[in-house]
Amino acid sequence: MPVEPTFASVRSDFIEKTGLISQAEGLPRIAGRIFGMLMFDGEMVSFTEIATRLQVSRASISTSIRILEERGLVKRMAKPGERQDFFQLAENPYATMLTGIQKRTQATRDEIAQTIKNLPPAADAVNRLAAYADFYASLDAAVAVALDEVAAKPTR
């Protein structure tokens, strides 16, 4: 008979999976693990607690927190009477993630369009590059739909 997973093992697996997802997206694995922990736990956590809970060096935490803050996924907080910083998940990190994807998609599409503009109209590459730009335009439209859906859902 299969063993029922414990809450702690489900939490640990989720945090690790989030780290791997983030790593696949080009972020440090630790940043994804921090994001996953804050998402799963849903509480404000001190810098020291993050390092302790994830068993990671303070330097790795510092670098990853900075990245997460810059991307608008994590918010730095203060507690009265406390000298250290606390962190929690930003208000709507999923819309922020989609907005970042959309900006990168639009920038890529614009770069391709600029390349097309610099080519003579009869160049063989124009049609292939136009199809590539169309791909990014479709991706941009899909992300816009996803943004609308995320915005329409209540924050939990």
Side-chain angles (χ1 to χ4, degrees):
M1 180 173 275
V3 176
E4 197 67 26
T6 65
F7 183 85
S9 69
V10 170
R11 178 185 177 276
S12 180
D13 287 348
F14 176 78
I15 290 169
E16 190 56 36
K17 286 176 189 175
T18 308
L20 293 172
I21 291 166
S22 294
Q23 189 174 33
E25 296 292 324
L27 291 174
R29 187 171 177 176
I30 299 303
R33 291 183 68 215
I34 294 167
F35 185 69
M37 185 192 80
L38 293 173
M39 187 185 334
F40 195 94
D41 294 348
E43 63 184 355
M44 189 184 323
V45 183
S46 74
F47 188 92
T48 302
E49 287 176 290
I50 293 170
T52 301
R53 289 182 190 182
L54 296 179
Q55 299 176 358
V56 180
S57 75
R58 292 177 61 86
S60 293
I61 297 295
S62 179
T63 300
S64 293
I65 284 286
R66 191 174 318 113
I67 291 167
L68 293 169
E69 283 183 297
E70 287 170 0
R71 291 187 176 221
L73 303 178
V74 168
K75 186 175 179 182
R76 187 179 301 256
M77 306 292 290
K79 281 187 178 180
E82 294 280 345
R83 290 174 39 156
Q84 63 180 320
D85 291 324
F86 289 79
F87 302 91
Q88 68 181 28
L89 205 58
E91 184 65 32
N92 193 346
Y94 316 113
T96 302
M97 290 168 75
L98 286 169
T99 300
I101 291 167
Q102 190 171 49
K103 285 178 184 176
R104 289 187 299 278
T105 300
Q106 290 169 350
T108 302
R109 185 192 64 218
D110 292 346
E111 289 292 330
I112 297 165
Q114 185 62 46
T115 300
I116 293 169
K117 184 178 172 184
N118 291 334
L119 289 172
D124 288 342
V126 170
N127 288 336
R128 291 187 300 276
L129 295 180
Y132 191 36
D134 289 346
F135 164 77
Y136 277 98
S138 296
L139 190 56
D140 182 40
V143 172
V145 169
L147 263 169
D148 289 344
E149 288 178 10
V150 168
K153 290 182 181 178
T155 306
R156 297 181 198 184

